[in-house]
Structure formats: structure tokens, C-alpha cells
Amino acid sequence: MTSSGTGPITFGGAWIRSEVSGEDGLTIVTGGTNLINPVIGDNNQALKHLNLNTTGLASLNGNSFTTTEYVIINSPVVLNDDLIINTHEIQSYGTIDLNSHGLSINNTEAMGVSVVESVISGTGDFVKSGVGLISLTSDSTYTGETRVMGGTLYLADITIENSSEIYVAQGAILDADTGSGTAIVIPDGQTVSGEGTFEPNLILQVGSIVRPGSSPGALSTGALSAGTGTIFQIEIDGPTAGLEYDQLIANGNVHLDGNGLGGATLGLTINYLPANGTEFKLIDNISNDLTIGQFLGFSHNSVVDINNMKFAVSYTGGNGNDFTLTKVANDCETITSGLWSTSSTWTNCSGSFPNDFDSVTIKSGHEVTLDINSASLDGFVIEAGGDFAVATSVSGLTLSGSENNSNTFDLSQASINLEGDFTIDVTTRDILLNTIDGAFTFTLNSAQDTKLMGEIGSVSPLQGLITVSYTHLTLPTICSV
């Protein structure tokens, strides 16, 4: 069907559809301002093709075009609603004003050639989906997001620098020819994100943001160049790269101080407590070259404090050239005598008081009373002159060690006074104990050696002494239970 004329035309109604899907096409050739209200085609009654060839403005109120072969837009277009174009191929030459609406093109022909020469302007998002390739050949000024949800969006020596964020979904590609064919340049104020691929290379200018994944995920590129003023936003929710923490994969050289002013900024959000020794490969450098430059405040071989947790920094991690953070134990220690659960007793813990995987020291002259079950500690040492007691409790209290703890549990300098039942649950390390007194039950759960160097119950006999697991216990000469 062809609609033609010299003046404007208004298409009313709700639908324009082919009686048999893919059989009928529609060509509109008019002048003036044309109002196109209906939805054109649908999944069950798609048109064969659509050709907008008006000399005047095509004002689109319908929210979708669906064809089985192609869509050609030779008209200047303004959107009055979000528009989804479903087609095998698209050729667009007239200007497109988003007018605070979104344009989504779903081109489904993998081998087809879709070209958008249109200048896309206005406030709104541009979305590319489907398995095909779309080539953008004109600089566009739209200010919304660019979302590549499938296939390839190719930037043919053009920029979309006003787009607030470029998101590339897993399996999708943003490809670019910048004239020299070297890189996609991300300007000040623009964000790149997603789980897809930016080809061939990525240059992050001052004020740009890179955010791998979509809470979380892995983003890939070729070579990577960033510098002072560039922000990497990384989320860590667990130990698995790309699934539980963000990762940037670089298939080329990595330069983190491209402008020579000190290095890019790393912004970390950590939403869980990792075990000591857990390595996070935040930049996986696939190339054979060393990573050049460093993040500000993250010097090579330093230990940094993030959310009261300690991490070792390396730019030679992984296979020798990756940027990694590795969780190490917090050296949590007392600053005064007090209760275990009181924050003012401690300093340098990963929480208000000793937390999982902390290495704890009771300093000389300090006495700490365990009034809650401890977290799973990496190590526990009482210095000479320090002391330890166990408070009254309904069901007993436990001092626990983590399964991968690497430090000693040395209580040999303390005279432990029990005011309630007490359990030491440390299965992977030797335990050193001194004197223990109090009319309560003392339970040892250890698969390693436990050596009692002092006397048990010499002042106040214990109610019971229980050993579980495969405890190898060396008893003192005086043991009163």
C-alpha cells in the first residue's frame, strides 16, 4: 500500500496490519507535517516493509513498527511516544528527535546491513537489540542512555559523547572506528557499564566512569587507558569473578595513569566479609605486558583498609600482570581492659569488636571478659601480663577459630577464670593454655594438639572437662575436675 500526496496526512486508528503476516508493505510519500498515530504491524500480522519518505516532519504517536524485511526512514522524525522498531534491517537517513522518549531498534538479521545515518537528538534513550549489526554514521547529541542489548552497535568514526551512559549487555558488542581505528573514547561525564565487549580498545578520559557488570559482572575490552580523574566503580558481593564481583577484562595493554597525574580512582563497594587469602582479580590483563600505573591510594605491595577490612594490593597478581586485592587478617588488639562486645575495648578490628577472620591480641596489662560467642578468628594471642575471663551465660560461651585460620591460639600467658561454661572450637591450629579455674564445664574441640601448661582447677575445680573431635591433649600435673 502506498499513501502519497503533496500536503500533510494524518493516519488515525489503532493499527495498520498485514492481513497475512509479511505479505503487505506500506510506503508513505507526502509533504507537510504528518501525524502517524497507529501501531504499524505486530508479531502476528507484520508488514513486509515500511518506507517513510516524507519531505515534511513525521510525527509518530504509535509505539511500535514491525516488519518481516526492512524499514526505511527518509523523513525527519519526532517521537511522541516510546518507539520500538522490529525488523530484519533498517536504513534511516532523516533526523530523529527523541523528544523525551526512547527509541529501540531490534534488528534480527544477523547477516544484514543496517545503517542509521540519522542525527539522533533530544532527551531519551537509544537501545539496540537483536542479533544484527547497526552502524551509526553521524554524530548524535541525544542525552539519554545508550544500551546495546544484543548484536553489534558500530560507531563509524562518530561520537555519542552526550549520552549519559553506554551499557553493553553480555554477548553484545560496541565497536568503533575512530578514524585511526584505535579506541572508543569515553569523555568527561559519560559512564560505560555492562557485561559485553568494547572494541577495539577503550580510552577513559578525565571525569569518565567505568562500571563493569550490572551488579555485578565482567566487562571486556582490548587495550585500556585511564588516568587521574577516571573512576572505576567495583562491587564485591562474593568470591566469584563476573558473578559475585565486578571484573574488567583487558585483551591488550593496561595503563592506569595515562595522563601522568597519579592514577585513576578506584571506588569499592564491599557487601560481604571475605575469608583471609581470598583474591579478587579486579582487572584481568590478558596481554603479556605488565600493567602500567596504579590506582590512587593503592600502591603495589601495600595493605589498604576498606570498610575496616585489610587487603593486600598487587599489580602482578593472577598470572603475573593482573590487578588484585587479597584479603588479609586484621590485627585487632585491645586498647584497654573491658568486655569482648564493647567497641571501646578494641582497635583495628574489621567490626566494632573482633569479627570473622580477625587476628586478635590482648595486650599486656589488659584483661578482657568474653561475654558473647566470638566470631571465627584467624588467630588469638594473649601477651605476657594480659588476661582473659569468661562471663556468666545461660548456655555457655565459645571462642572460635576460622577453618582456614593460619595463626596461633596462644592463651598460655593468661589465667582463665570461668564464670560460665566455656568452649574453645579451633580445629586447624594448636592451642596453648595456662591455668583454668571455675566450677563450670570446659570443652575443647580441636583436631590438633592442645597443651595445658598450667594447672586445671587448682583454685576452683572445674565441673567438667570435655574433649571432642580428635583433640590431642597434654595435661598438667594438677587437674582437678
Side-chain angles (χ1 to χ4, degrees), residues 69-72 87-93 107-116 132-135 137 154:
E69 290 190 2
Y70 62 84
V71 170
I72 297 176
T87 186
H88 275 204
E89 296 181 19
I90 184 170
Q91 310 289 322
S92 180
Y93 306 101
N107 62 319
T108 56
E109 177 55 56
M111 302 304 293
V113 178
S114 292
V115 177
V116 176
L133 178 146
I134 291 179
S135 178
T137 63
Y154 179 72

Side-chain angles (χ1 to χ4, degrees), residues 2 50 119 138 285 364 370 372 390 467:
T2 299
L50 171 65
V119 174
S138 298
N285 185 351
S364 178
L370 185 71
I372 59 171
V390 177
T467 62

Side-chain angles (χ1 to χ4, degrees), residues 65-313:
F65 298 162
T66 302
T67 73
T68 59
E69 290 190 2
Y70 62 84
V71 170
I72 297 176
I73 300 175
N74 275 311
S75 311
V77 167
V78 62
L79 303 187
N80 297 314
D81 197 352
D82 293 343
L83 177 62
I84 300 173
I85 299 175
N86 300 298
T87 186
H88 275 204
E89 296 181 19
I90 184 170
Q91 310 289 322
S92 180
Y93 306 101
T95 59
I96 299 176
D97 181 1
L98 297 179
N99 191 31
S100 298
H101 298 289
L103 172 62
S104 178
I105 300 176
N106 176 28
N107 62 319
T108 56
E109 177 55 56
M111 302 304 293
V113 178
S114 292
V115 177
V116 176
E117 293 188 6
S118 307
V119 174
I120 305 174
S121 63
T123 301
D125 299 338
F126 173 68
V127 179
K128 154 73 179 88
S129 59
V131 298
L133 178 146
I134 291 179
S135 178
L136 299 184
T137 63
S138 298
D139 291 334
S140 290
T141 60
Y142 64 94
T143 57
E145 295 182 6
T146 302
R147 302 181 69 82
V148 187
M149 306 305 295
T152 299
L153 180 64
Y154 179 72
L155 307 182
D157 198 15
I158 62 104
T159 67
I160 49 173
E161 62 184 10
N162 293 322
S163 178
S164 59
E165 179 170 347
I166 302 174
Y167 173 86
V168 182
Q170 186 172 12
I173 297 172
L174 179 69
D175 197 356
D177 179 355
T178 61
S180 61
T182 55
I184 300 169
V185 179
I186 306 302
D188 181 13
Q190 193 170 72
T191 298
V192 294
S193 63
E195 301 89 8
T197 301
F198 289 74
E199 293 182 347
N201 305 309
L202 194 58
I203 295 176
L204 302 166
Q205 294 186 333
V206 173
S208 63
I209 297 171
V210 58
R211 189 172 61 236
S214 53
S215 188
L219 182 151
S220 298
T221 187
L224 171 71
S225 178
T228 303
T230 300
I231 301 173
F232 285 69
Q233 294 181 345
I234 300 292
E235 180 180 358
I236 297 177
D237 295 336
T240 306
L243 295 176
E244 295 175 306
Y245 72 87
D246 291 333
Q247 183 181 68
L248 193 146
I249 301 170
N251 293 279
N253 297 334
V254 176
H255 202 317
L256 297 176
D257 190 16
N259 54 12
L261 298 176
T265 297
L266 179 63
L268 285 169
T269 300
I270 303 178
N271 298 314
Y272 93 115
L273 179 60
N276 294 333
T278 303
E279 181 185 81
F280 301 96
K281 188 188 293 185
L282 302 185
I283 297 181
D284 186 1
N285 185 351
I286 305 297
S287 78
N288 294 322
D289 297 321
L290 292 176
T291 295
I292 301 172
Q294 301 179 5
F295 287 107
L296 286 172
F298 289 80
S299 300
H300 181 57
N301 286 338
S302 67
V303 175
V304 296
D305 189 303
I306 305 168
N307 294 353
N308 293 321
M309 293 180 283
K310 302 291 186 183
F311 292 87
V313 179

